[in-house]
Amino acid sequence: MSTGVIIVLIVIVIVAAVLAGAAALSPRARSAFAGGGLKSRFGPEYERTVARHDGDTKAAERELDERLKRYGSLHEQPLEPSERERYTARWTAAQERFVDSPRDAVAEADRLLAELAGARGFPDGGRYEEQLDALSVHHPHHVHGYRRLHRAALAQADGDTEELRAALLDARGLFEELTAPARQEQAAPSEETPARTPARDAGKSRHAWTFHRQHAKGS
């Protein structure tokens, strides 16, 4: 028997062994492999989904797997620098409005996030549940802030001002992710988007601090 034939036979045996091993995996073992990937992909959203299914891990993983199949290939659309500035100005205005009218500020921030997500290529705000599912695939660490803000905006009662403030602050993480410049913009700022300077960053920090401070006085 030639060396070539022997090598072919060895390869066939190895492939057969691998296939047999894969087939021998129990459903529980295969589920564990799949679940580990979903847990890594969705992070805190994985735990929330399991809790929403009353601890039924399989049901939660089926739901998350369906979200991933439906929205995993979605490509986020970039924002023009001028669009980013407009959205940022509107979010800042909503934060400033909170001091005098918390509910109106929360409602405006909720509408703004829905509009922003639509501009980035996610389902539009009129399909909130679909939009939320798509966002959970691509922004799993911040999507709950949007969910919390939306619930606060829809609440019939005035609600606790502190809870409204917390909802608005929690949603800011998703807003910042959706308005973050693309990597190429960060690497090479253009004339239309001047590079951030310490003075501009300091101004943003002062504004965020003022939002906390002013509300603390009014609470």
Side-chain angles (χ1 to χ4, degrees):
M1 186 178 294
S2 68
T3 303
V5 173
I6 294 174
I7 293 174
V8 170
L9 290 175
I10 292 174
V11 170
I12 292 173
V13 171
I14 292 173
V15 170
V18 170
L19 292 176
L25 280 174
S26 67
R28 178 175 295 182
R30 288 195 296 269
S31 175
F33 281 122
L38 289 170
K39 190 171 185 178
S40 175
R41 173 66 183 260
F42 284 92
E45 187 67 10
Y46 179 93
E47 302 299 338
R48 292 189 187 98
T49 307
V50 170
R52 190 160 53 78
H53 282 277
D54 298 320
D56 187 340
T57 302
K58 290 183 179 179
E61 289 176 357
R62 281 195 298 269
E63 178 183 331
L64 294 174
D65 187 55
E66 180 60 32
R67 291 191 213 174
L68 192 56
K69 288 177 181 177
R70 181 174 296 183
Y71 301 112
S73 60
L74 183 150
H75 293 288
E76 296 185 61
Q77 301 300 312
L79 291 177
E80 293 292 333
S82 58
E83 290 181 291
R84 186 179 302 113
E85 289 178 4
R86 284 196 296 271
Y87 282 119
T88 300
R90 289 171 60 187
W91 185 268
T92 299
Q95 286 194 153
E96 292 173 342
R97 190 178 186 184
F98 186 92
V99 177
D100 297 317
S101 185
R103 282 195 59 77
D104 289 343
V106 165
E108 171 58 24
D110 180 55
R111 289 191 295 268
L112 178 57
L113 266 180
E115 180 184 332
L116 173 58
R120 292 300 310 274
F122 293 95
D124 63 63
R127 296 177 291 162
Y128 169 73
E129 293 297 337
E130 292 179 44
Q131 187 180 72
L132 196 71
D133 285 351
L135 285 167
S136 73
V137 172
H138 295 271
H139 300 278
H141 291 274
H142 293 290
V143 68
H144 186 66
Y146 180 28
R147 185 184 289 119
R148 184 180 182 184
L149 181 75
H150 189 70
R151 284 200 301 261
L154 293 180
Q156 297 297 318
D158 286 341
D160 180 73
T161 303
E162 178 60 26
E163 172 58 28
L164 294 174
R165 181 190 70 85
L168 183 58
L169 291 174
D170 201 12
R172 190 166 62 189
L174 179 61
F175 175 82
E176 290 176 347
E177 281 203 348
L178 291 177
T179 54
R183 289 182 180 179
Q184 57 268 29
E185 292 181 69
Q186 293 174 330
S190 66
E191 292 181 4
E192 289 78 11
T193 54
R196 292 170 62 183
T197 63
R200 291 180 66 186
D201 290 343
K204 288 186 177 182
S205 299
R206 283 198 299 272
H207 175 75
W209 178 81
T210 301
F211 174 64
H212 286 276
R213 184 171 178 269
Q214 286 179 331
H215 178 68
K217 289 183 177 181
S219 300

